Amino acid sequence: MTGFARATGTTGPVQWAWEVRSVNGRGLDVRVRVPNGAEAAGETARTALQKTLTRGQCQVSLALTKPETAARVRVNEALLASLAAAVARVPVPEGLAPATMDGLLGVRGVIESEEAEGAETESLARDLAEGVVRLVADLVEARRAEGRQLQEIVTAQLARMGELTRAAEECPARRPEAVRAKLAASLASLTEGSGGGLDPERLHQEAVLLAAKADVREELDRVRAHLAAAGELIANGGAIGRRLDFLAQELGRESNTLCAKANDIALSRIGLDLKAVVEQFREQVQNVE
């Protein structure tokens, strides 16, 4: 879910540049930083990313550069005409000079200054919105490129887990004769020194417990089912990160149980190897959309 994209352009005297950075995240978090006056463009970018992505932390920024321009002066002709008409109607007292044009222009509000066009002109807003479309498309492509690389890694990890599952199924410690020998040795240690007086019911209970502990078939069956589900998700594509994360948790639970129930060093080693690959798989799927 990592990626970077940049979209630039020029609208009139204004140069603009969108940038977005995406890093891993369990959910979707979009943060936007834009100059004053460009808030509408920022909301456009936020909405576009929220509609397109489902996971990741995205930082979006907009930079606007415009040349220094002198303020333009405008005469409020309506106010000036109104003042002139009013002055013309008022008799000028003796000793006072009549109003002049420069005096009228000095009245507040007659001369107005206005800055050159700001950032939120119609044409600039349209170009910024088009830039967002390109920005999001480029970010999606960058994330897809990473996704194709991750797919190879995750697929190899699933294959390795399948190999370890088959190795656990074929482990000599799981063969019936090996289980019987293990049970016989355990029962022998229980009856040793008892003179044969150990309660038969107790012997039966111990035998059942040992047999249950040695049986990991259910765990292996569930591991195979989870691996098949993960492979199907990857083949279908789409936003599968959260579902893969759930399957990774389930695989971790089964590998822990396998290690706990292993009655042989060889089977225990297979369980530990499986657990290690599951942890690697779980770390990688955090990067998946």
Side-chain angles (χ1 to χ4, degrees), residues 18-66:
W18 283 108
E19 284 190 359
V20 60
R21 290 174 170 81
S22 172
V23 296
N24 302 332
R26 295 183 65 85
L28 179 62
D29 181 19
V30 179
R31 300 183 182 183
V32 180
R33 185 180 62 194
V34 297
N36 292 334
E39 289 79 6
E43 287 305 310
T44 298
R46 185 193 306 276
T47 301
L49 288 168
Q50 289 175 338
K51 288 182 178 180
T52 305
L53 308 179
T54 59
R55 299 181 79 184
Q57 296 180 357
C58 297
Q59 298 280 351
V60 186
S61 63
L62 171 64
L64 297 176
T65 305
K66 53 184 177 179

Side-chain angles (χ1 to χ4, degrees), residues 102-113:
D102 59 343
L104 293 178
L105 291 174
V107 176
R108 177 178 296 180
V110 175
I111 299 296
E112 298 177 344
S113 63

Side-chain angles (χ1 to χ4, degrees), residues 265-284:
I265 294 178
L267 186 58
S268 179
R269 287 176 177 172
I270 294 173
L272 291 174
D273 289 343
L274 178 61
K275 184 176 179 180
V277 179
V278 169
E279 287 301 318
Q280 295 171 359
F281 174 75
R282 187 173 182 179
E283 289 180 3
Q284 289 296 344

Side-chain angles (χ1 to χ4, degrees), residues 217-239:
R217 180 172 299 278
E218 291 184 3
E219 286 72 22
L220 296 178
D221 288 343
R222 285 192 290 268
V223 168
R224 283 198 303 271
H226 295 330
L227 293 178
E232 184 177 354
L233 285 175
I234 294 174
N236 293 335

Side-chain angles (χ1 to χ4, degrees), residues 26 55 154 157-158 161 222-223 225-227 229-231 233 240-256 274-288:
R26 295 183 65 85
R55 299 181 79 184
V154 171
Q157 291 171 339
L158 290 174
M161 283 186 272
R222 285 192 290 268
V223 168
H226 295 330
L227 293 178
L233 285 175
I240 61 175
R242 292 183 179 179
R243 285 176 286 179
L244 286 177
D245 191 18
F246 170 76
L247 290 175
Q249 295 178 31
E250 294 302 307
L251 287 168
R253 184 176 294 110
E254 300 303 335
S255 63
N256 286 334
L274 178 61
K275 184 176 179 180
V277 179
V278 169
E279 287 301 318
Q280 295 171 359
F281 174 75
R282 187 173 182 179
E283 289 180 3
Q284 289 296 344
V285 298
Q286 301 298 319
N287 304 323
V288 178

